Amino acid sequence: MRFQLLGPLALADGPDTVVLQPSKPANLLAALLLHANSPVSAEYLQRAVWGEEQPATARAALQTCVLRLRRLFSKHGVTTSIEAVPGGYRITAAPPTLDLLGFRDRVRRAAGLDRDPEAELCALRDALSLWQGSLLANVRSVVLHRDEVPRLAEERLRAVERVCDLLLGLGRCGEALVDLWTATRVHPGHERFHEQLIEALYRSGRQSQALAEYRRVKGFLLEELGVDPSPSLRRLELAVLRGEDLGPAGPAAPRVIRGETVPLPAARPFLAPDAAPSTAPDAASATAQATASAMPHGASPAVTPSGPPAPAQGATPAQGATPVAAPAPAAGTASAPVAASRIEPVPAVPHFTGRAAETAALTARLTAPPPPGPEDHRPLTVLVSGAPGIGKSALAQHAARLVRDAFPAGQLLVRMTRADGEPRPADEVAADVAAALAASGDGRALLILDDVVDADQVRPLLTPKGEAGAGPGPAVVVTSRMGLGGLIATHGGWVQRLTTFTEAESYALLLTALGAERVEAEPRAAHRLAAVCGHFPAALRILTARLLTRPGLRLSDAAAWLGDDPLARLTLTDSPDHSVAGLFDRALGRLDPRLSAAFTHLAQGPPTLLDDRGPEDEGPVPEAVREQLADAGLLEDGPPGPYRIHDLLRAHVRRTARIRDRRTEKV
């Protein structure tokens, strides 16, 4: 059992989490945990619980709150105790039992890895993965939100700064941009983030965007605060204007761990415009290296948290997992940093719900004996396809965990896109997979090739290279938004295409995520919420995350609120990249521009545009175009008709068009 402070105050036991209801005991528990292992005076605790104006019976009421917490601990099997000490109380915790201490411990360990930037980056991302949303969202204490929350938020910002410094120093500007787009918008007055963003843009060959970002932050500082940008920002702007070589990127900001400044190793900052580099690399090669990792789209970025993020999208290895290292470059090759391997053990999927038939079929296929014959070393291939956000990765990972005993050599999740959404080259993936399989144990392995962009990415992994009769190769599960019919035609395999949840599956997800007590108290409202989400798995996941941070909100009120503007509200306010709109934007950004324009036309027009005959005044959209859009997961099979567009996706395209039109209207 562990306590969670870095988000809603909660008790967690494995995948099960109990988010505490807003109450006086919750205020008390938060105050004690914020000062874990130290005596906390009764006077401070009373202010944290009741505020500056306390009732006359505050001292006795505080003792009552302590008793209620002790009963709560006993109910949930929490072995930690709240002990009375002279003048107050103390709670004992350790990094494994309190996420705040775990975060600080991981950041402190990362500080000792300054000679290995990749290891330090991995450790910091592991630390940031402990943050689960808005700090103490369910704790209604003015004192804690005024005095403690800003300090904790600053600790996180320092860690994010350091992550971005490391990414810039490693030449991975595209990954840094993913974090920095969101950081600068959420914290517009934080100049260091803007400085990093401008540097990342410039190093990626996007000089005009770098200058536009400088003008934007300069305008904000003048209008909102009445100050000019810092001298370092002004020097950076001048360097960008002159097209100066910034020199090798390097971390420049100190780390802060619980209020203590930890100096960083010396690093060369960017050069002032009037300084000449002494040993700067060739400008053309530096620009090419940075451009290779630049973010290719302007959609809502996928932060690690980031991640996030959630899980998000440049995944951090699960706690205790050892990521597989990418092979080192051959002698004599360029000294550009090698991108971190995106292979990790298959993680568990919390609160997996629904897909019973699909799960049974997938596990049966994976555990079936390989067919005999001269090609018995060809990998068994299963393709899980469907629309973005439909739950392909979750199904593949859940099924893999169920059949792990059938794969003694291990199960590996292979990310087929970079953190910025750019597809990884086939030869890079093949090298990573070969290294991972070489390090695996005896027996058969299972690979999940997650978010495959096209068939050419995976063909080298599915083409037999061994001798006939050498035994079956690894089983392979491919997840992709694309249908990949050509891959199935040339390499064989079995296809599982996912659609939206049924009404029963949506309700079951709400039950699992929110708890039976809350959902069964308002079953009709729960069904309305699922309907507003269009039974779309990603939308339901975002909705339940929002509702978990507001345990006092009635489901009927949430249904009315969500129905007013579902697209704007199906997002996580502390992690804007986790949104239905951002998910759709990234999917549309992958399309060929002509296909994207055709889909926009279909979504804005009447449903009859999807018919074989089309409306009388326009005629049909060519069948080949509709087939390609269906293959990309953006059109669903009927009925009614051969194809249809999901209501949320249609609404998103129309909303985006309205916003674009308003921006271009003449005043």
Side-chain angles (χ1 to χ4, degrees):
M1 185 68 71
R2 63 188 185 278
F3 297 102
Q4 292 182 347
L5 270 178
L6 304 181
L9 180 62
L11 301 176
D13 185 10
D16 299 322
T17 302
V18 177
V19 178
L20 302 185
Q21 296 284 349
S23 63
K24 297 293 190 295
N27 293 359
L28 172 61
L29 179 59
L32 288 169
L33 290 173
L34 286 167
H35 302 276
N37 304 318
S38 300
V40 186
S41 70
E43 290 76 12
Y44 174 81
L45 293 174
Q46 288 167 204
R47 286 193 295 111
V49 173
W50 285 279
E52 303 297 345
E53 297 182 5
Q54 302 165 25
T57 59
R59 179 60 66 97
L62 181 64
Q63 296 174 355
T64 302
C65 288
V66 171
L67 290 174
R68 290 176 62 184
L69 283 179
R70 287 171 175 166
R71 293 193 194 103
L72 177 70
F73 288 3
S74 177
K75 175 183 176 181
H76 291 285
V78 179
T79 57
T80 302
S81 62
I82 300 174
E83 56 181 318
V85 296
Y89 295 91
R90 176 174 57 202
I91 192 169
T92 304
T97 58
L98 176 59
D99 59 359
L100 175 58
L101 297 182
F103 170 74
R104 288 171 175 164
D105 181 64
R106 295 179 194 188
V107 171
R108 189 174 290 106
R109 282 190 280 115
L113 300 171
D114 50 23
R115 296 180 182 273
D116 186 349
E118 289 283 5
E120 184 181 0
L121 178 63
C122 184
L124 283 174
R125 281 186 161 160
D126 188 30
L128 288 168
S129 70
L130 295 175
W131 291 71
Q132 300 295 322
S134 299
L135 277 170
L136 303 181
N138 55 335
V139 174
R140 296 174 183 170
S141 169
V142 174
V143 171
L144 295 183
H145 281 277
R146 181 193 66 201
D147 300 339
E148 302 292 345
V149 167
R151 178 172 60 82
L152 295 182
E154 185 63 24
E155 290 187 48
R156 179 182 179 276
L157 291 181
R158 292 295 186 184
V160 174
E161 277 185 21
R162 179 62 178 168
V163 164
C164 295
D165 278 329
L166 289 167
L167 289 171
L168 291 173
L170 291 168
R172 289 152 60 178
C173 298
E175 290 183 53
L177 285 170
V178 172
D179 290 341
L180 290 168
W181 281 120
T182 295
T184 52
R185 273 53 182 174
V186 175
H187 306 282
H190 197 99
E191 288 188 67
R192 177 61 184 152
F193 284 145
H194 291 286
E195 188 176 332
Q196 290 172 316
L197 176 58
I198 292 168
E199 181 180 346
L201 287 167
Y202 182 56
R203 290 184 183 277
S204 300
R206 296 152 74 170
Q207 183 182 28
S208 60
Q209 285 183 264
L211 292 171
E213 181 62 24
Y214 176 82
R215 288 192 295 270
R216 197 189 70 80
V217 65
K218 179 180 180 180
F220 171 83
L221 293 172
L222 287 173
E223 292 173 12
E224 299 295 328
L225 305 176
V227 298
D228 289 320
S230 64
S232 59
L233 259 177
R234 295 200 298 271
R235 287 196 300 270
L236 180 57
E237 182 222 11
L238 194 53
V240 174
L241 280 170
R242 293 180 175 181
E244 298 280 348
D245 180 2
L246 300 185
R255 273 168 289 190
V256 173
I257 303 173
R258 201 173 181 179
E260 300 174 358
T261 300
V262 180
L264 297 176
R268 178 182 178 182
F270 68 83
L271 298 175
D274 54 353
S278 56
T279 57
D282 177 76
S285 63
T287 302
Q289 174 184 319
T291 305
S293 60
M295 185 169 68
H297 56 76
S300 300
V303 182
T304 303
S306 108
Q313 305 212 2
T316 301
Q319 186 175 356
T322 303
V324 180
T333 58
S335 59
V338 178
S341 173
R342 294 180 63 76
I343 299 182
E344 61 183 90
V346 175
V349 181
H351 304 307
F352 185 86
T353 307
R355 308 290 192 203
E358 293 88 344
T359 301
L362 184 52
T363 55
R365 183 67 59 171
L366 291 175
T367 54
E375 292 191 351
D376 60 358
H377 57 289
R378 180 190 291 276
L380 164 70
T381 306
V382 181
L383 169 64
V384 182
S385 63
I390 207 68
K392 303 178 292 295
S393 300
L395 173 64
Q397 293 171 32
H398 178 66
R401 300 276 295 189
L402 293 177
V403 300
R404 55 183 176 271
D405 291 342
F407 298 95
Q411 301 169 303
L412 297 175
L413 178 66
V414 184
R415 310 280 183 181
M416 301 299 288
T417 56
R418 303 190 193 281
D420 58 8
E422 184 178 356
R424 298 175 65 200
D427 55 350
E428 175 188 303
V429 176
D432 271 7
V433 169
L437 292 177
S440 63
D442 295 331
R444 201 176 189 199
L446 172 64
L447 301 177
I448 297 179
L449 308 182
D450 191 43
D451 198 15
V452 169
V453 175
D454 57 46
D456 290 338
Q457 260 195 313
V458 294
R459 280 199 173 99
L461 300 173
L462 303 181
T463 301
K465 294 183 175 64
E467 297 295 331
V476 178
V477 178
V478 174
T479 74
S480 178
R481 300 171 187 178
M482 307 300 293
L484 302 183
L487 182 70
I488 299 300
T490 57
H491 286 70
W494 179 75
V495 179
Q496 176 68 65
R497 191 164 183 88
L498 301 184
T499 59
T500 54
F501 275 163
T502 64
E503 187 173 353
E505 287 175 323
S506 297
Y507 188 79
L509 174 59
L510 294 176
L511 277 173
T512 303
L514 300 178
E517 182 178 355
R518 188 175 183 185
V519 174
E520 290 177 350
E522 300 180 84
R524 294 181 63 184
H527 282 291
R528 286 203 305 275
L529 282 170
V532 173
C533 291
H535 305 290
F536 199 71
L540 289 164
R541 288 290 183 187
I542 292 170
L543 170 69
T544 54
R546 295 209 67 167
L547 291 177
L548 283 171
T549 64
R550 291 166 175 79
L553 181 64
R554 289 172 49 84
L555 298 189
S556 56
D557 295 334
W561 166 78
L562 181 63
D564 288 341
D565 193 352
L567 284 168
R569 290 166 179 172
L570 284 172
T571 184
L572 301 181
T573 54
D574 63 319
S575 183
D577 59 296
H578 286 89
S579 68
V580 171
L583 179 71
F584 290 156
D585 277 335
R586 291 189 289 274
L588 292 170
R590 283 190 183 180
L591 287 181
D592 179 278
R594 290 170 296 181
L595 273 182
S596 180
F599 182 74
T600 300
H601 175 61
L602 284 170
Q604 289 184 271
T608 51
L609 276 176
L610 292 168
D611 295 343
D612 288 334
R613 298 182 63 181
E616 293 182 0
D617 56 339
E618 283 196 60
V621 171
E623 183 178 358
V625 172
R626 288 179 284 160
E627 285 286 334
Q628 291 180 70
L629 291 172
D631 190 59
L634 297 175
L635 294 185
E636 300 177 340
D637 293 334
Y643 299 115
R644 61 189 179 89
I645 300 175
H646 191 278
D647 291 342
L648 280 179
L649 183 51
R650 185 185 290 275
H652 170 70
V653 173
R654 291 178 174 178
R655 182 172 181 266
T656 302
R658 287 196 302 271
I659 293 172
R660 184 178 61 248
D661 292 343
R662 281 200 300 269
R663 287 176 179 167
T664 56
E665 283 178 355
K666 293 183 178 179
V667 179

